[in-house]
Amino acid sequence: MQIEKQKTNKLFWVVIIAVLFSVMAVSFELGFLSGLKAVWLYQDGGQKEAEEILVTTPRPNQTVNSPFIVEGKARGGWFFEASFPIDLIDNQGKILGQSYVQAQSDWTTPDFVPFKGEINYAAAATTTGKLILKKDNPSGLPENDKKIDMPVIVSPSK
């Protein structure tokens, strides 16, 4: 009887913990707990929590209007002369807009540095697209290239 009660108690707590983790995972995905994590980004077709760059604005799959602000934080190694490039492309890979984000504090650190920028674009109709954040690579060496893509909904420009 005692052993059966212990098994029931263990099963109860395992189920409770599994339900809590499921609720947290769905909450993160839907953005309900956005204060706890900055954003989930998409890289190379798969979902990945960024360890080097976090975007707070816009959010993944958010509808953007030209011009729009891009904000977040990135490790200092992403910057060169306090900036790095960003692109907006449509679902066909056509570049709709290009710009830079600027470091908002000292960028010569391995720590996270806040950044902010604005991007203008021209689009005739609503489409899906990607915001691409590129590590600035003044050397031009491919081994120093990095980028992170984030899906967005692109509204027609006015």
Side-chain angles (χ1 to χ4, degrees):
M1 181 77 166
Q2 182 70 7
I3 293 174
E4 211 170 288
K5 188 175 181 179
Q6 287 176 345
K7 285 183 181 178
T8 303
N9 281 343
K10 284 183 182 178
L11 179 61
F12 172 77
W13 286 110
V14 167
V15 169
I16 293 295
I17 290 170
V19 167
L20 287 173
F21 277 117
S22 298
V23 168
M24 287 177 58
V26 169
S27 296
F28 277 124
E29 185 64 24
L30 296 177
F32 298 137
L33 300 176
S34 61
L36 299 177
K37 268 301 183 207
V39 72
W40 287 82
L41 291 178
Y42 295 77
Q43 183 175 18
D44 300 327
Q47 192 172 24
K48 162 185 175 15
E49 186 180 3
E51 296 174 3
E52 294 187 27
I53 185 167
L54 301 170
V55 177
T56 55
T57 304
R59 305 289 295 170
N61 297 306
Q62 178 180 328
T63 300
V64 295
N65 298 295
S66 185
F68 66 94
I69 300 293
V70 178
E71 289 182 290
K73 59 184 179 176
R75 300 268 181 201
W78 274 70
F79 298 89
F80 180 71
E81 298 298 333
S83 69
F84 64 83
I86 58 174
D87 293 340
L88 180 66
I89 62 170
D90 67 12
N91 58 4
Q92 303 296 314
K94 178 184 171 196
I95 296 175
L96 301 175
Q98 296 181 304
S99 189
Y100 287 86
V101 295
Q102 281 296 131
Q104 301 298 296
S105 63
D106 181 21
W107 62 278
T108 58
T109 175
D111 297 328
F112 278 103
V113 176
F115 64 78
K116 185 174 183 178
E118 183 177 270
I119 188 166
N120 289 290
Y121 67 85
T126 301
T127 184
T128 56
K130 287 183 184 178
L131 176 63
I132 302 171
L133 297 95
K134 301 177 184 178
K135 179 181 177 189
D136 208 338
N137 180 10
S139 72
L141 298 172
E143 61 265 23
N144 294 331
D145 281 342
K146 280 191 181 178
K147 70 175 184 160
I148 293 183
D149 303 347
M150 185 175 71
V152 291
I153 309 298
V154 180
S155 291
S157 48
K158 297 175 175 143

